[in-house]
Amino acid sequence: MMNSENDNKINSVEDIINGDLLNVEGLIGPKRVIKVVGIGGGGGNALNHMFQEGVDNVSYLALNTDAQDLQKLQIPDKLVLGPNTTKGLGAGDDPEVARKAAEESANDIRELLDDGETEIVFITAGMGGGTGTGASPVVARIAKSELKLLTVGIVTIPFLREGERKILKALKAVERLRQEVDAILIINNEKILELYPKETFSQALFLADQTLVNATRSVSNLIYTQGEINVDTNDVCKTLRDGGVAVISTGEGEGEDRLKVAIESAVHSPLLNGNDVYRASRLLVYFYMSRENELKVQEMAPLDALSASMDRSFEYIPGHAFDDTLGNKVRVTILASGFDMQSTEDSVRKRTNEDGLSKQERAARERQERELLSQYYDTKDGQILGSLGQARPFIFADEELDDERIIKIIDNTPAALRRHDELEVIRSDKTFQKPQSIMRSRVSKNIIEELEQKNNNPNDDNDDRITISF
């Protein structure tokens, strides 16, 4: 019988000869190759939720500039970022303060990640605030560039009601993080909540956190499940390494067409966020079934259809395993990466008059910004829905109201849907399109009234300009 002081001893030849066999539990178990790092308040909450779910073979690390917020988490490994920078009081919603705090704690972060077991790092954070927004790229750089670990970001972007400024701040952070990770999954809170309109708000947020749990559990199962056609850490790394935007999704199906249902459930996951799996350049497909209800050859057609729908240049890794807890169900896990996302950090800007840009340059950037927003948020006729469609004034010179292209936009487009960038392109053209008749006869009644009031105002020194909301 061994005593407690020997619990942590390594077995030696002498111990074995003497019959003092030590407890080897844990010594022969699998390494925990996946470490999930939650950064900031949102990342910490998601991490805590995952810790409570008890995903196997995963280790956890919580990082925050706010010591009090960090204290409430159940995670055993926690680190206050930048104690000299923030004094443990948080980043004050300032990503630059959070970045400096993370740089101050870089050595501690490096030591916690370089533990001799970790090979894959999941970084989770809420984008648009302070700590997660500013510190996550620093942590990712240490994990990927310095320690050469496969690094995957799983981040959320804000609700529409949180406003354009915060959304663009978040998307700018996403673009910055993309430069530091191998692959990134972007969870749109707005879309998650659209799926559960009758749930309470706290339950909806719980379901949003569940996407992190599902993604991590999916990869953990791939690595640790012994399959009939097996995949391992190297296969996961090959699929996601330098893969850019990624999808990690699992779906289940039962009954008739169960494999098709499972594939469609995975392919149409809210995690896709507009990313069409069929455009991925790398694809790993792994399915699980029970021995009692094994898939028949004739049921495998949906896998052929999925492959046939892909771009012919894609790389494909297949695999399957038995899971007798499934009964008649099948489960399919899809890892896809290599999507082409056209948005860049230059697409995001602060809306100020002091940015040094001409109106035409600002309009071009506004168009890029709108395209960036439209990748994540629903649009109608090119307009972002929600609180982002507020009209702003656009000042016309008198002669511009003789341009048929401008008049067409004013007459045919509601104010909330008019776009500055289109008008600035017309303005920069300098080629007015004037018909034979007087163009103002085609201007809407309200605009004619505005013109008449302006012309009849003797105190108005700028009688060649009119302001219309766009």
Side-chain angles (χ1 to χ4, degrees):
M1 189 75 173
M2 68 177 185
N3 56 43
S4 59
E5 67 182 31
N6 289 328
D7 285 355
N8 296 322
K9 286 178 61 178
I10 303 295
N11 286 336
S12 67
V13 174
E14 184 179 356
D15 291 327
I16 296 173
I17 293 174
N18 294 333
D20 297 328
L21 297 179
L22 303 182
N23 185 358
V24 296
E25 183 179 355
L27 296 178
I28 60 175
K31 292 197 307 180
R32 294 184 299 176
V33 302
I34 300 173
K35 185 182 291 291
V36 186
V37 182
I39 306 175
N45 290 338
L47 192 70
N48 208 51
H49 168 210
M50 183 175 174
F51 182 78
Q52 294 170 341
E53 288 276 315
V55 180
D56 295 333
N57 303 313
V58 173
S59 61
Y60 305 87
L61 173 61
L63 307 175
N64 205 333
T65 56
D66 187 334
Q68 186 175 12
D69 195 57
L70 202 60
Q71 188 65 30
K72 71 180 183 182
L73 303 179
Q74 300 176 18
I75 311 301
D77 292 332
K78 295 178 278 194
L79 176 68
V80 178
L81 297 176
N84 295 319
T85 302
T86 68
K87 311 299 182 185
L89 300 177
D93 205 40
D94 188 336
E96 180 59 19
V97 172
R99 185 195 66 77
K100 292 178 180 178
E103 293 289 4
E104 179 190 331
S105 299
N107 288 334
D108 294 327
I109 296 169
R110 191 177 297 106
E111 183 177 343
L112 288 166
L113 294 178
D114 191 16
D115 56 11
E117 288 194 350
T118 301
E119 297 180 32
I120 300 174
V121 175
F122 283 91
I123 293 175
T124 182
M127 297 286 103
T131 300
T133 302
S136 56
V138 178
V139 178
R141 185 199 73 218
I142 293 170
K144 178 179 185 288
S145 299
E146 299 182 19
L147 300 178
K148 310 302 179 186
L149 305 173
L150 178 72
T151 306
V152 179
I154 303 180
V155 299
T156 60
I157 56 177
F159 305 105
L160 273 173
R161 63 172 172 267
E162 295 182 73
E164 182 176 3
R165 182 177 294 275
K166 185 170 183 178
I167 289 173
L168 291 174
K169 179 181 176 183
L171 297 182
K172 181 176 181 179
V174 169
E175 292 302 308
R176 189 182 304 113
L177 182 60
R178 283 184 65 229
Q179 306 304 314
E180 302 291 352
V181 297
D182 286 291
I184 189 166
L185 288 78
I186 303 162
I187 302 168
N188 189 333
N189 281 340
E190 191 74 19
K191 291 190 176 182
I192 291 291
L193 295 185
E194 286 174 8
L195 295 175
Y196 310 105
K198 296 184 179 180
E199 299 288 352
T200 64
F201 183 65
S202 59
Q203 178 65 13
L205 292 179
F206 174 88
L207 292 168
D209 287 344
Q210 191 68 31
T211 55
L212 168 67
V213 177
N214 293 338
T216 309
R217 180 178 281 129
S218 295
V219 174
S220 177
N221 289 342
L222 286 174
I223 292 172
Y224 292 109
T225 300
Q226 181 61 47
E228 297 301 300
I229 298 179
N230 199 46
V231 300
D232 54 23
T233 306
N234 290 333
D235 295 311
V236 173
C237 290
K238 181 178 180 181
T239 303
L240 298 179
R241 181 79 69 187
D242 295 321
V245 178
V247 169
I248 301 175
S249 184
T250 296
E252 290 189 353
E254 62 180 326
E256 189 176 357
D257 295 327
R258 53 184 175 160
L259 184 57
K260 180 181 179 181
V261 171
I263 291 174
E264 289 181 347
S265 177
V267 167
H268 296 113
S269 164
L271 270 179
L272 292 177
N273 196 41
N275 291 313
D276 186 350
V277 163
Y278 304 110
R279 294 187 294 106
S281 61
R282 302 178 201 163
L283 184 70
L284 186 154
V285 179
Y286 202 83
F287 64 90
Y288 305 81
M289 57 189 171
S290 68
R291 289 179 176 85
E292 184 179 353
N293 294 283
E294 187 174 349
L295 284 164
K296 295 179 173 59
V297 173
Q298 64 186 21
E299 294 182 272
M300 306 298 286
L303 286 176
D304 298 329
L306 174 63
S307 179
S309 300
M310 299 293 296
D311 185 281
R312 291 303 175 192
S313 62
F314 80 108
E315 298 179 48
Y316 182 57
I317 298 176
H320 72 270
F322 288 114
D323 180 352
D324 291 329
T325 67
L326 286 171
N328 188 48
K329 295 180 181 179
V330 295
R331 183 169 65 245
V332 174
T333 293
I334 290 177
L335 272 63
S337 72
F339 298 98
D340 181 21
M341 192 167 83
Q342 295 298 321
S343 56
T344 65
E345 185 175 336
D346 290 339
S347 306
V348 187
R349 63 176 178 82
K350 293 181 179 178
R351 195 184 300 280
T352 68
N353 293 325
E354 292 80 29
D355 54 16
L357 297 177
S358 68
K359 290 181 179 180
Q360 287 73 29
E361 290 171 330
R362 193 175 298 117
R365 195 156 70 176
E366 182 176 308
R367 177 180 295 219
Q368 289 180 318
E369 186 176 286
R370 190 180 64 252
E371 291 172 353
L372 175 61
L373 289 166
S374 69
Q375 293 182 49
Y376 301 98
Y377 295 91
D378 289 335
T379 63
K380 181 178 181 181
D381 298 327
Q383 179 69 24
I384 304 297
L385 299 181
S387 62
L388 309 186
Q390 299 177 356
R392 294 184 287 118
F394 190 94
I395 302 175
F396 288 96
D398 190 55
E399 66 271 12
E400 288 175 332
L401 290 174
D402 286 335
D403 190 300
E404 185 173 3
R405 295 166 296 179
I406 290 177
I407 300 304
K408 184 177 180 180
I409 292 173
I410 295 172
D411 276 345
N412 298 334
T413 311
L417 298 183
R418 298 171 188 162
R419 286 161 30 182
H420 280 229
D421 59 316
E422 289 185 350
L423 294 169
E424 288 291 359
V425 169
I426 294 173
R427 170 175 282 173
S428 63
D429 184 18
K430 303 298 184 183
T431 305
F432 294 110
Q433 296 182 351
K434 297 180 181 179
Q436 296 298 321
S437 59
I438 299 176
M439 278 302 305
R440 292 188 190 170
S441 64
R442 296 189 51 202
V443 181
S444 64
K445 181 179 179 181
N446 289 339
I447 295 175
I448 292 175
E449 291 175 353
E450 288 184 60
L451 283 167
E452 290 175 345
Q453 290 175 6
K454 192 172 185 66
N455 292 334
N456 292 331
N457 185 355
N459 297 321
D460 193 340
D461 295 330
N462 297 317
D463 59 358
D464 61 338
R465 298 166 67 83
I466 184 168
T467 300
I468 299 174
S469 291
F470 276 76

